[in-house]
Amino acid sequence: MGRNLAEVEISRIQWETFRTFGNRSGNVPDALRRLLAAADEDEAMAAYWELENVVVVQGQLRSAALPVISVLLAGLLDELSADARDLVLELLQQIVMGESDEDEVALGDSELGDRCREVARTGLWLVYRELGTRRRETAEAVLERIESDQPRLAAYLAGTRGK
């Protein structure tokens, strides 16, 4: 059912109303579909690089990063390949670490980073679930950026060490 959730999320978003680097918002939905459907690392990486440097570049966010988060979280509900899941979490980390790029600030959106982290918080437990996987380090970095309850985070990190 999970991929259906991500597909509904992709389909309901008017991607052309969001900004990307290089004016590539029309390519984002297909890149997300390919990332979530990737069977191996090569497929996942190819799709990932059509999103990284498009919605986020070196910590600089464009407005399309915001709806991408919802799609990534919906995707985490699905049975993704391990390689796809790795890069979904990696892209989520890149976005939650980011801040508005100068063009977004000039357009009056200096709070894009905060808004992205707020949306990511809606999937907090999906990220916590990744602490018990090979994605622990990435999940930890995401949680350190979005979790407002630091004692809870500390308790879960202590409870999942060595697993």
Side-chain angles (χ1 to χ4, degrees):
M1 179 173 175
R3 188 161 291 130
N4 293 340
L5 294 174
E7 181 55 42
V8 169
E9 197 63 13
I10 290 169
S11 298
R12 75 177 193 84
I13 293 163
Q14 294 182 292
W15 291 98
E16 65 281 358
T17 65
F18 292 93
R19 290 172 297 282
T20 60
F21 292 95
N23 197 21
R24 294 177 283 186
S25 58
N27 301 348
V28 171
D30 187 51
L32 285 165
R33 287 181 183 106
R34 288 198 328 281
L35 175 59
L36 295 170
D40 59 38
E41 187 178 7
D42 289 342
E43 287 178 14
M45 286 300 282
Y48 174 86
W49 286 112
E50 290 183 41
L51 296 161
E52 162 78 81
N53 294 327
V54 174
V55 299
V56 56
V57 175
Q58 297 175 339
Q60 302 298 300
L61 299 171
R62 296 308 301 263
S63 68
L66 198 59
V68 164
I69 293 171
S70 295
V71 174
L72 297 177
L73 294 173
L76 286 175
L77 289 167
D78 197 16
E79 294 300 318
L80 304 179
S81 72
D83 294 314
R85 193 171 286 274
D86 289 350
L87 291 170
V88 163
L89 218 61
E90 176 64 29
L91 186 57
L92 186 61
Q93 179 186 356
Q94 294 299 321
I95 294 171
V96 302
M97 297 297 180
E99 299 297 343
S100 302
D101 93 303
E102 60 187 19
D103 292 341
E104 295 293 340
V105 172
L107 291 166
D109 194 357
S110 59
E111 304 297 318
L112 184 56
D114 291 337
R115 291 186 12 250
C116 285
R117 287 181 285 279
E118 191 175 309
V119 171
R121 269 183 216 101
T122 68
L124 194 67
W125 294 108
L126 295 169
V127 181
Y128 267 106
R129 184 172 69 179
E130 298 296 329
L131 288 174
T133 71
R134 72 186 195 182
R135 290 166 289 282
R136 178 190 176 87
E137 197 173 298
T138 310
E140 205 170 313
V142 171
L143 289 167
E144 285 172 358
R145 195 71 169 111
I146 67 171
E147 174 60 274
S148 52
D149 185 341
Q150 289 301 310
R152 173 169 61 195
L153 177 57
Y156 275 88
L157 292 178
T160 59
R161 293 258 183 252
K163 289 191 177 172

